Amino acid sequence: MGKPVLDAVAVSAADMERAKTFYALLGFDFEGEGAFHSDDHIEPVRGVGEPRLMIDSAALMEKLTGEEPRAPNHSAFAMLCDSPAQVDALAAKVEAAGFTVLVAPWDAFWGQRYATVADADGYRVDLFAPL
């Protein structure tokens, strides 16, 4: 029996279009072949071997779990960027679009350029690149 692999990361959204806008700023493709759209669930295109990003409406998650979804108070996932400059550029793009940069880009002591941004529902995404 093989070992399980990470297949998907899920977040919920009160406003599906706003969530789509945020994650598109980070490079997710919601229009290409393989993207999935319904009223309560969207998934962008994913590359070979990449985990899926699943965005479910808050209403659907409440129906499935019996409780209102709440964003975590720590990062839900992290995105490896090509360079420290890309970390800076993505954080600036997120802020310019009206989303929140929780931790401005900085040179972390562990050797990475690091920033934390939040989508409209408060889900945190770390952006990082080796220095």
Side-chain angles (χ1 to χ4, degrees), residues 11-28 30-31 37-39 41-42 53 55-58 92-101 117-123 125:
V11 298
S12 62
D15 181 332
M16 297 293 278
E17 283 304 311
R18 187 132 168 88
K20 199 161 97 172
T21 297
F22 174 83
Y23 289 101
L25 289 169
L26 299 181
F28 289 93
F30 291 93
E31 305 306 322
H37 300 266
S38 74
D39 290 342
H41 181 89
I42 56 177
L53 171 62
I55 304 171
D56 293 308
S57 72
K93 194 190 292 190
V94 163
E95 187 171 47
F99 295 97
T100 303
V101 175
V117 297
D119 72 11
D121 292 277
Y123 288 98
V125 179

Side-chain angles (χ1 to χ4, degrees), residues 9-124:
V9 173
V11 298
S12 62
D15 181 332
M16 297 293 278
E17 283 304 311
R18 187 132 168 88
K20 199 161 97 172
T21 297
F22 174 83
Y23 289 101
L25 289 169
L26 299 181
F28 289 93
D29 174 8
F30 291 93
E31 305 306 322
E33 185 174 332
F36 178 83
H37 300 266
S38 74
D39 290 342
D40 287 321
H41 181 89
I42 56 177
E43 293 182 25
V45 176
R46 72 171 170 167
V48 175
E50 293 179 346
R52 293 177 293 153
L53 171 62
M54 301 185 306
I55 304 171
D56 293 308
S57 72
L60 175 62
M61 288 312 301
E62 187 169 357
K63 190 183 311 180
L64 294 175
T65 65
E67 61 185 13
E68 184 178 333
R70 293 175 302 280
N73 65 354
H74 63 282
S75 273
F77 55 96
M79 297 189 62
L80 173 62
C81 298
D82 290 333
S83 67
Q86 186 180 30
V87 172
D88 294 352
L90 285 174
K93 194 190 292 190
V94 163
E95 187 171 47
F99 295 97
T100 303
V101 175
L102 296 166
V103 178
W106 66 293
D107 292 339
F109 62 87
W110 56 85
Q112 295 174 332
R113 185 72 173 165
Y114 222 88
T116 303
V117 297
D119 72 11
D121 292 277
Y123 288 98
R124 297 174 182 207

